[in-house]
Amino acid sequence: MSSRTKKPKSNPFAFLIQGIGIGLVILSFIILARLFQDPLSHEIQYAVSKVKVEEVLAPPNTDFAIVIDKIGASANIVKSVDPYDSQIYQRSLRDGVAHAKGTKLPGEDGNIFLFAHSSADILTAERYNSVFYLMHHLVDGDVIKVWKDDKEYDYTVSEKLFVSPSDTKYLTAKSTSEQLILMTCWPPGTTLKRLIIIAQPI
């Protein structure tokens, strides 16, 4: 009587685990691609635009808006947004740049605080802070234009800082003279750090 070698039985759970593992790897690649796709496209557009003559942009409105010609940024500003309530400011950031509630307005002594940062998940982050994706290219002397009630206010960059997310002094600090403070998350699409631009009226 001949003996037959038994074939090992296939384990359906092993296939399931392998499938989940492959799915997670694919999902990770998709997430990384989404995370870097929008910043990369902005960087490429910025590099190409530097070859041309810098374009002078028009504001989307003259009621309350910001224009930064150097980085091709032009957006509405949503007035008096609570910077401590994520549900409120995330809705506002879909419409443009947020003006922090309690901070000053152009032409007033004190800090004008504007932000466009992504505290959403990385799959949807680009819709919130794309206005300021290229803000890291700003250097001392670059011009930022803000329109308020049909009047243009011009500011020149004086300082650029990378700070901890817990460092809120730039939002809460008092100033006796007018200055514009812009904030976004850094690197783009994450919440690891905050990029702060400080600008003085011209």
Side-chain angles (χ1 to χ4, degrees):
M1 185 175 177
S2 61
S3 61
R4 295 181 180 179
T5 304
K6 292 184 179 180
K7 294 181 179 180
K9 293 182 180 180
S10 59
N11 187 344
F13 291 108
F15 287 115
L16 178 63
I17 291 170
Q18 288 176 356
I20 291 172
I22 292 170
L24 288 174
V25 170
I26 293 171
L27 181 61
S28 298
F29 278 116
I30 292 171
I31 289 173
L32 285 173
R34 288 292 302 276
L35 175 60
F36 293 109
Q37 175 186 359
D38 206 55
L40 182 60
S41 67
H42 278 75
E43 291 292 347
I44 291 171
Q45 289 171 9
Y46 176 79
V48 170
S49 71
K50 289 291 98 182
V51 178
K52 306 174 186 176
V53 177
E54 192 171 278
E55 183 183 0
V56 177
L57 301 174
N61 70 75
T62 57
D63 295 326
F64 205 10
I66 185 170
V67 168
I68 311 174
D69 292 320
K70 181 176 181 179
I71 61 172
S74 178
N76 300 315
I77 299 175
V78 183
K79 184 181 175 185
S80 296
V81 176
D82 186 345
Y84 300 105
D85 189 327
S86 63
Q87 290 187 341
I88 290 175
Y89 67 65
Q90 293 293 9
R91 285 197 300 268
S92 299
L93 292 177
R94 293 190 182 103
D95 299 322
V97 173
H99 163 257
K101 184 178 181 181
T103 67
K104 300 299 182 177
L105 295 169
E108 299 177 352
D109 289 338
N111 292 330
I112 307 152
F113 194 96
L114 306 179
F115 63 99
H117 69 148
S118 58
S119 292
D121 63 272
I122 60 178
L123 290 176
T124 58
E126 69 272 8
R127 81 178 62 165
Y128 296 105
N129 70 347
S130 60
V131 176
F132 284 171
Y133 261 141
L134 298 173
M135 204 165 78
H136 58 282
H137 288 290
L138 295 180
V139 296
D140 288 7
D142 285 336
V143 175
I144 300 167
K145 304 171 186 175
V146 177
W147 274 259
K148 182 72 176 73
D149 297 332
D150 300 323
K151 184 176 179 181
E152 180 182 339
Y153 298 83
D154 293 344
Y155 303 85
T156 183
V157 174
S158 60
E159 199 170 354
K160 177 166 64 177
L161 305 159
F162 296 91
V163 303
S164 165
S166 62
D167 190 349
T168 60
K169 68 184 177 208
Y170 299 97
L171 173 60
T172 58
K174 304 299 180 183
S175 175
T176 55
S177 58
E178 180 180 358
Q179 67 178 0
L180 176 67
I181 300 175
L182 308 182
M183 186 193 78
T184 192
C185 286
W186 179 261
T190 75
T191 57
L192 297 176
K193 281 189 170 291
R194 300 291 186 265
L195 167 57
I196 301 283
I197 293 290
I198 301 175
Q200 310 300 329
I202 297 174

